Amino acid sequence: MTASALVLSEARLWLGTPYLHQQSTRGAGCDCLGLVRGIWRALHGAEPEPTPPYAPDWGEADGAEPLQAAARRWLEEVPLAARLPGDVLLFRMRRSGPAKHVGILSAPDRMIHAWSGHAVAETALDHPWRRRLVGAFRFPALPPES
C-alpha cells in the first residue's frame, strides 16, 4: 500500500470521531490538529514534538503562524497545484489571520477534517474552502518494512 493510501486509510478510521478541542483520540474526540496528530502516531509512532496548549483564538493577536511553522518542520511542503490525496491541507480562516485549520485531501474535491460542532467527516473541498487554502504538505516517507 502506498504512503498516501495508508494516510487515507487511517484518516477514514477517524470518521465520526466527535469534535473535542485539543484532543487526539480516535473514536473519543479530536480537533483538526488532533486528527493529523493521530494519523502521525499511527504511521510514524511518537509525535515529533509536544503540542502546546492552544485557545480557539490562538495566533490572532500576535500574528504568529505556529501551525504553518510546525507543518514546515515535520511535513514536506508541496505546491498547491501538486497536492494529492493523502496530503495535509492548511487553511487560513480569515484573510488577515493565521493559518489555523487542517484537513486531509481525500480526492481532488474532497477532504477529511474535524471542525467545531462537527464530528470528523469527509466533505466537499468547495469554493469556500478552496479560497482559504494556503498550503499543502505531505507526510514524510514511511520507513521500509523489515
Side-chain angles (χ1 to χ4, degrees):
M1 189 179 286
T2 66
S4 63
L6 288 170
V7 170
L8 287 174
S9 178
E10 182 61 29
R12 287 192 170 107
L13 293 174
W14 289 72
L15 292 172
T17 297
Y19 180 90
L20 282 175
H21 180 67
Q22 293 189 14
Q23 300 303 303
S24 182
T25 303
R26 188 176 77 210
C30 72
D31 59 11
C32 65
L33 178 57
L35 171 64
V36 173
R37 291 172 49 217
I39 293 168
W40 178 283
R41 290 190 308 270
L43 300 179
H44 294 284
E47 294 176 43
E49 65 184 57
T51 302
Y54 50 95
D57 64 348
W58 59 268
E60 292 177 9
D62 62 8
E65 291 280 359
L67 189 57
Q68 187 174 52
R72 286 181 171 150
R73 279 193 303 276
W74 302 109
L75 304 172
E76 174 191 343
E77 191 163 12
V78 296
L80 286 175
R83 66 188 183 262
L84 297 170
D87 287 348
V88 176
L89 303 178
L90 184 64
F91 299 89
R92 191 175 313 284
M93 302 311 290
R94 291 185 312 144
R95 180 171 286 156
S96 63
K100 56 191 294 183
H101 185 68
V102 292
I104 304 294
L105 186 67
S106 57
D109 61 349
R110 299 195 58 79
M111 68 174 167
I112 298 170
H113 62 134
W115 71 105
S116 185
H118 302 275
V120 176
E122 187 168 5
T123 65
L125 181 59
D126 54 14
H127 178 71
W129 283 111
R130 283 193 316 274
R131 69 184 171 90
R132 291 177 169 89
L133 183 59
V134 296
F137 298 85
R138 202 156 284 152
F139 280 91
L142 298 171
E145 291 187 40
S146 40

